Amino acid sequence: MARTKKKKPYEIGELDQYLFGQGTHYDLYKKMGSHLVTDGKKKGTYFAVWAPNAKSVSVVGDFNNWDRDKNPMVREDPLGIYTCFIQGVEADMIYKYCIETKTGDLLYKADPFANYAEMRPGTASKVHDISNLKWSDSAWMEGRATWNMDESPISIYEAHIGSWRQHPGEEDERFYNYREFAVEAVKYMKEMGYTHIELIGIAEHPFDGSWGYQVTGYFAPTSRYGTPEDFAYMINYFHRNKIGVILDWVPAHFPRDAHGLADFDGTAVYEYADPRKGEHPDWGTKIFDYGKSEVKNFLISNALFWMEHFHVDGLRVDAVASMLYLDYGKQDGQWVANKYGGNQNLEAIEFFKHLNSVVLGRNPGALMIAEESTAWPKVTGKPEDDGLGFSLKWNMGWMHDFLEYMKLDPYFRKEHHNQMTFAMTYAYSEKYILVLSHDEVVHLKCSMLNKMPGLGFDKYANLKVGYAFMMGHPGKKLLFMGQDFAQLREWSEARELDWYLLEEPEHQYLQAFTRDLLKLYRKNKAMYEQDTEGYGFEWVNANDGYRSVFSFIRHSKHNKKNLLFVCNFTPMEWTDYRVGVPRRKQYKLILNSDDKQYGGKGEERPQIYKAVKQECDGRPYSFAYKLPPYGVAVFEF
């Protein structure tokens, strides 16, 4: 009987193949791809790629003059993983896999598990050792493990590194690298009061204009901004400064680029074979096959790779709805129903439950966030209760209603009052983040400032009262870069934000107001510790449509320190606006949009207001306050 050759520790073994086939090899990235190894006295690189329907596979690169006959790979059955060791292949050498299909065609593919890629427009992978990254964020990581998301403030700064700031210069010289961005972004975020940064466009992608939502290198931080070591430095730097890091993550689809995952070995390896399930007509992209164990394993190990190997604190999962619905973006005849005749993708549902159970189970305190644009039930529910298991969900309904209301001429807002109150009817059905993201300030949608009605003062005043309402409303918060200082132009990935606007007083005022809102949010437990509990929020008057004023209370636990918000959404001044309050106490004015530092008149007014026994808003006590045009007043009691 022939003796099986004993596998070396770095090689793909029988257990690896078994777990991969079961979809449970969660550390798969440590075996697949390219890894610098020592084999006895020989130094080189071990390569492993999954190409189950290939006729043959070889490694090609500068080191062998791209000759596919020089370094053929060996097929490891039963799954069709191809492997080889090549002596002398060193760090940062570029390579691809030359895949011979069953029809004899030759495909040159980048490595799906590569940790580094050459700078676009090049499409080759790079051998790179990421096994010895330097970390000094142990205090952060230990704290994360016991962190309670529900009772903590989360205010997210959504940013795109390539267009946040740029150096003067040509083409790719203009990008800040990961290290430069970390230092400058931390300085800005600490000044403003954000708790987390969400980075878009990190996984390697070929086209800048996709913003990173069409990924070709799922295990590689994009080389646009530096090396994997630079990327790790950035994460570490944010953590050392007590800022969490969230990455956008795209398991919904991938592009057709010739070097990418599409038709990887001449057949549908990563995507559904049936084009009615495997293609997005609107986006021109491929859809992952969530029913295939190896594909699910690829994606789950990728999520764990970012969280565990690079210490990322959360993933914002893009386009969840497109995964859940088989008919998403499709006409009749372009999709196929599930086995029960419905439009739910049962395999994607199971994938999400598996993904979130594993990622959050292995990484307590981490976040899995769903961008889900429909009313799918229990997105943040527990998998054992038939939920999808996400930590948080983007509140797209609130965002839509809020923006539609804010765009209106104030004269017509009284007829749309319920658009600002409706979200409270479902506020506790999920754990929500209120989002004003990059998607709302591109493609002719205007910047946040230019969505506002009126001219001059009115635009800035509208935005201030809108932001105040958002910060006071239950739910975690997200704001896209530039909108906190009233960026005038729409966002473009091709240029930096218009930082020069901060030389103008109006933009300084709005930035100062946003900063103080963020700091008010973080400082006061009433603003966040009961976000998911009905008794954390109370309308004082949700029905003052005639005057378009909203008043509400945020309650802290045990009512130790509560906040009363009054927001006026018209240019009318109410000289004696009376508001009902729960107790005959003193109410301290702690935020006033009319202050000069925010561009207001700076009119002198009392800091303390004493409630009197006078019925108002269905309450026995009340006090009156001079509410200026578009005025915001926050009282502590």
Side-chain angles (χ1 to χ4, degrees), residues 291-344:
K292 196 179 284 184
S293 297
E294 296 91 343
V295 173
K296 288 185 287 187
N297 201 152
F298 174 82
L299 291 170
I300 293 171
S301 71
N302 183 242
L304 292 167
F305 167 79
W306 293 112
M307 286 219 180
E308 297 178 359
H309 199 81
F310 276 110
H311 294 200
V312 165
D313 301 292
L315 298 175
R316 196 279 293 188
V317 183
D318 181 60
V320 167
S322 76
M323 299 169 66
L324 293 172
Y325 296 97
L326 293 163
D327 58 348
Y328 185 92
K330 297 178 181 179
Q331 306 298 321
D332 288 345
Q334 291 183 325
W335 65 282
V336 57
N338 65 32
K339 63 184 179 181
Y340 302 114
N343 67 341
Q344 302 88 1

Side-chain angles (χ1 to χ4, degrees), residues 197-255:
I197 189 164
E198 181 179 316
L199 296 170
I200 65 177
I202 292 300
E204 193 58 84
H205 52 285
F207 177 49
D208 290 5
S210 80
W211 312 332
Y213 290 107
Q214 297 206 4
V215 177
T216 49
Y218 274 80
F219 289 82
T222 178
S223 57
R224 287 166 176 79
Y225 317 126
T227 66
E229 287 80 5
D230 296 332
F231 178 71
Y233 175 94
M234 177 184 71
I235 305 291
N236 194 65
Y237 193 84
F238 278 119
H239 286 174
R240 291 291 298 264
N241 284 277
K242 298 181 173 58
I243 292 171
V245 182
I246 299 163
L247 299 188
D248 271 13
W249 189 58
V250 192
H253 62 127
F254 55 89

